[in-house]
């Protein structure tokens, strides 16, 4: 393979995991303000399989019109290989991590041996964790942080008229649904870190982990419907989201809030308004400054990255098959070996 070529996971058509192909692709060129990163590990996230199947869950007018082949993936940890002449914040050899160019559908291109990254979206990797754990953090942790602490951008959400505003967490009763997943396990930790009383909702096999991560209470949804036994909550972070999010409204106090991470299909707007409950979401965006702030929390163990499983980059198909089975505990990560 020439020095201008690399291995990457590409798709040439939309479909299931079988459309993922590990093959030769050109090494990306860097433009002004960009850094070339040699990728050591790649985090796997829901937008990866949404893009793989052409965002089929979205209305047709929202589905992206892209040219094949497409390299999937957004979350990387690796080492700086080259920097553009105008980049001063990073130098060759720096260990870094990033959520690359999100939300710009099809432009992130992280399932690869090399990726170009805008410098403002890059941060030094937390020294206290390895590349595999660092690659598991960016999208899921930024989602939790931007929903719960600081949005960090002013991009409008087309699904709601008002900007998303996080709520103060100290002393509040917070319930996290889907607490064992990628966003959920970070949401539990962020809420606890900020002084909330946290109830985690997941299946029973995740209880020990979630209590270790700081959950004060645990509800096994396979045995008990959380909305039937929870009352006077200040905030529900529904990391599952969708049409069923409205079931939590009866468990939230007037003046409280419901933040569905996946807001498509929410049906309880009128009921929420009558109850005085704010329903709000935001779309996670790349932010190197926030990743720098979060690196210190990852470095000292204040926030931990839980790994569900790891696969070789060449086995990205198997990673997507694992994701399709659901009941993920933490993060799936691809290793570039």
């Amino acid at each position: 393979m020439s020095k201008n070529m690399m291995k990457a996971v590409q798709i040439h058509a939309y479909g299931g995991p079988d459309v993922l192909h590990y093959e030769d692709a050109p090494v990306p060129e860097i433009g002004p303000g960009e850094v070339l990163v040699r990728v050591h590990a790649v985090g796997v996230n829901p937008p990866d399989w949404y893009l793989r199947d052409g965002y089929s869950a979205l209305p047709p007018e929202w589905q992206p019109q892209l040219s094949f082949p497409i390299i999937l993936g957004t979350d990387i940890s690796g080492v700086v290989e080259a920097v553009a002449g105008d980049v001063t914040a990073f130098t060759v050899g720096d260990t870094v991590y990033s959520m690359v160019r999100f939300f710009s559908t099809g432009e992130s291109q992280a399932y690869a041996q090399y990726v170009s990254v805008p410098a403002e979206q890059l941060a030094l990797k937390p020294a206290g964790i390895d590349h595999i754990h660092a690659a598991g953090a960016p999208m899921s942790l930024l989602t939790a942080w931007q929903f719960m602490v600081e949005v960090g951008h002013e991009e409008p959400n087309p699904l709601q008229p008002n900007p998303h505003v996080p709520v103060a967490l100290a002393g509040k009763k917070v319930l996290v649904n889907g607490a064992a997943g990628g966003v959920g396990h970070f949401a539990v930790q962020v809420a606890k870190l900020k002084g909330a009383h946290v109830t985690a909702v997941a299946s029973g096999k995740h209880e020990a982990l979630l209590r270790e991560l700081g959950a004060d209470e645990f509800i096994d949804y396979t045995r008990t419907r959380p909305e039937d036994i929870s009352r006077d909550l200040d905030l529900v972070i529904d990391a599952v989201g969708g049409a069923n999010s409205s079931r939590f409204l009866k468990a939230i106090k007037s003046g409280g809030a419901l933040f569905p991470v996946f807001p498509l299909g929410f049906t309880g707007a009128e009921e929420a308004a009558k109850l005085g409950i704010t329903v709000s979401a935001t779309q996670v965006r790349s932010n190197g400054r926030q990743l720098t702030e979060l690196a210190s929390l990852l470095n000292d163990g204040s926030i931990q990255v839980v790994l569900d499983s790891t696969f070789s980059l060449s086995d990205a198909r198997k990673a997507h098959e694992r994701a399709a089975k659901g009941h993920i505990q933490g993060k799936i990560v691809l290793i570039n070996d």
Side-chain angles (χ1 to χ4, degrees):
M1 187 166 52
S2 77
K3 66 178 182 180
N4 295 320
M5 297 297 288
M6 65 177 180
K7 290 293 187 182
V9 176
Q10 301 191 123
I11 63 172
H12 297 264
Y14 296 129
D18 60 321
V19 302
L20 298 171
H21 296 285
Y22 182 71
E23 58 194 13
D24 292 345
V27 173
E29 297 182 0
I30 54 172
E34 293 183 346
V35 174
L36 184 68
V37 177
R38 173 77 161 89
V39 177
H40 284 243
V42 188
V44 176
N45 294 289
D48 301 354
W49 52 88
Y50 299 158
L51 176 55
R52 190 201 69 218
D53 75 2
Y55 278 89
S56 60
L58 294 180
E61 63 270 19
W62 288 5
Q63 292 175 3
Q65 303 299 312
L66 303 175
S67 300
F68 295 106
I70 299 167
I71 300 174
L72 303 181
T74 60
D75 286 7
I76 58 105
S77 183
V79 177
V80 173
E81 185 85 2
V83 299
D86 60 343
V87 172
T88 58
F90 300 96
T91 59
V92 172
D94 284 345
T95 56
V96 291
Y97 76 140
S98 180
M99 179 175 75
V100 184
R101 293 188 176 87
F102 196 83
F103 184 80
S104 295
T105 305
E107 296 182 12
S108 302
Q109 303 182 359
Y111 285 16
Q113 290 180 319
Y114 294 92
V115 64
S116 66
V117 186
E120 72 271 11
Q121 297 178 8
L122 202 61
L124 294 175
K125 181 185 76 66
I129 61 176
D130 61 19
H131 285 295
I132 299 170
H133 286 80
M139 178 173 284
S140 292
L141 182 50
L142 281 175
T143 298
W145 198 257
Q146 292 179 7
F147 264 80
M148 302 170 69
V149 180
E150 181 206 15
V151 176
H153 64 80
E154 296 180 354
E155 296 293 335
N157 182 344
L159 298 177
Q160 65 187 51
N162 300 317
H164 178 77
V165 180
V167 301
L169 295 168
K172 300 294 178 63
K173 291 175 63 178
V174 176
L175 180 145
V176 179
N177 185 45
V183 173
H185 88 286
F186 287 129
V188 167
Q189 296 178 79
V190 169
K192 190 64 181 175
L193 190 68
K194 295 297 181 179
H197 179 92
V198 183
T199 299
V201 178
S203 63
K205 67 179 182 178
H206 302 300
E207 179 174 3
L209 169 70
L210 290 166
R211 288 193 181 277
E212 181 183 322
L213 294 178
D216 299 288
E217 298 180 41
F218 178 84
I219 299 173
D220 181 351
Y221 74 86
T222 69
R223 296 176 176 269
T224 309
R225 289 158 55 98
E227 68 273 21
D228 289 345
I229 60 171
S230 301
R231 288 292 177 271
D232 296 323
L233 297 170
D234 295 289
L235 174 65
V236 171
I237 300 291
D238 187 358
V240 179
N244 286 333
S245 274
S246 58
R247 66 195 171 109
F248 289 107
L249 292 173
K250 66 180 183 179
I252 302 171
K253 65 170 61 171
S254 180
L258 168 61
F259 293 170
V261 173
F262 186 80
L264 281 176
F266 181 76
T267 58
E270 287 188 18
E271 182 184 359
K274 289 178 182 177
L275 294 171
I277 295 169
T278 299
V279 179
S280 183
T282 186
Q283 173 63 69
V284 66
R285 289 294 196 277
S286 299
N287 191 311
R289 176 187 60 78
Q290 287 181 323
L291 285 178
T292 297
E293 181 179 353
L294 291 165
S296 64
L297 300 174
L298 292 163
N299 190 52
D300 68 12
S302 297
I303 294 178
Q304 299 177 50
V305 182
V306 174
L307 296 180
D308 175 274
S309 49
T310 60
F311 297 86
S312 170
L313 179 64
S314 59
D315 283 333
R317 183 180 306 184
K318 293 180 180 177
H320 279 230
E321 290 169 348
R322 164 67 193 101
K325 293 178 181 177
H327 301 286
I328 298 168
Q329 180 173 278
K331 296 293 299 185
I332 300 170
V333 176
L334 303 172
I335 302 171
N336 194 8
D337 48 23

